[in-house]
Amino acid sequence: MSQQPARTTFSHLPADKQERVLNAALNEFADQGYHQASLNRLVARAGIAKGSLYQYFPNKEGIFRHIFQLALGRVRQTLVAVKDSTENENLFIRLEKSLKAGVRFLQEHPRIYSLYLKIQFDRQVPFRQEFLAAVRRHAGEYFGSLISRARARGELRPGISEPAALFLLDAVFDRFLQAVAVPYLDVTFNLHQAPEEIVQRRIRELIDLLREGLAA
Amino acid sequence: MSQQPARTTFSHLPADKQERVLNAALNEFADQGYHQASLNRLVARAGIAKGSLYQYFPNKEGIFRHIFQLALGRVRQTLVAVKDSTENENLFIRLEKSLKAGVRFLQEHPRIYSLYLKIQFDRQVPFRQEFLAAVRRHAGEYFGSLISRARARGELRPGISEPAALFLLDAVFDRFLQAVAVPYLDVTFNLHQAPEEIVQRRIRELIDLLREGLAA
DNA sequence: ATTTGATATGACCAACTGGTCATGTCGCAG
DNA sequence: CTGCGACATGACCAGTTGGTCATATCAAAT
């Protein structure tokens, strides 16, 4: 993360032009992924010349990096807000609110979420490893802090493996958001573009299962 | 799934040549995804001429479709085998054995698994929706049958939402396999290429959490 | 009025893509 | 020996890609 991905020229630009370029770039990367993203299309959508793009950024990787860092900032910001605003509640209430906040984020920033999904399994994306590690670290710190606090308050069943609990929460939450965002990923919940009220009910059912378990 | 993806010419070929071509194709698609896969590279690896490839298959989509159907067959075969071989056991034993079988499959067929992951979030892959639906249907039927049987035997806590249980299992299992196969996806379990014994322990911890829940 | 430096531009480039096709090889039937 | 049909081949095509660069524009400073 050491190099500056955007040239100074870009920062001197009028704000609305910067916005147009960033917007076009996020659109392009979010719905095409890194490699299929076309800079020709990008400049066309942004309404600038090809040469201009290369006055703003050193190359395709630079644009991508810039976009990704902006996106990561928004995620971090949201996580912090949710964590702080539920600090004194019970673990399972916190989990419920966290998942709701996740769904809200994904509805408000569908392109950011789509970008994240695209990156996840394409080993050829530059900096993928670095970026994925950053995202997972945030998630880990988030759930880790919820779990530690819950344990301190005696809300957790004794003898539970903390790494296992963390893995479980991360897995279920991530998949829930995926199912809301992506069609055909979800066997029975039919979460994709489901009405608000259904989503809320499913969230409660899931948290209940996590709390009480499957066994009789 | 109506059209025949491979030409008759291909089926007339000596078995070892067929193998070479299919092998090269699976390699290429598995580590490049659909769009980045290059037919020039593919023919080079397979040791055949470009023109020959087009005597075997109608186009890139045809090759892809053929490969995918073969892969899907292997998955189906494995699922059926595991289901039958554990038919009379307790739900949580079945789950443990299923997850172990999943890990084994992924170690034996890493390219098939990689292909599946690549397809998952790339909306531009042809037939993606059709193929994803097929995979999820298999998973749904599998877990659905385990859960129904468990309920009939009274192994499930009463009042549990079956769709929620199914979603939970599908989510956790899928993510577990992903974490074993892909680096940096997993916050604390460090499953990627972990030694057998660690993986086994993690499986038991997870199943325990699923069975008994998180709450005190 | 002239110079200067920052910014804008799109024709251009080599490299590659999926796909085609005229030509060739070769075993076998007549 | 001839001819035929199945299969093999790689030069070739139009289209697209990321990236470059000589040239143009234009406001501010002199």
Side-chain angles (χ1 to χ4, degrees), chain A residues 22 24 39 53 57 84 100 114 126 142 145 157 159 163 171 176 203 212 215:
Chain A
L22 293 179
L39 300 188
L53 190 61
F57 301 94
D84 290 352
K100 284 181 184 170
S114 166
Y142 183 77
S145 125
R157 181 162 62 87
F176 193 89
I203 289 181
E212 303 292 337

Side-chain angles (χ1 to χ4, degrees), chain A residues 17 51-52 55-56:
Chain A
K17 191 165 191 176
S52 298
Q55 300 226 23
Y56 307 153

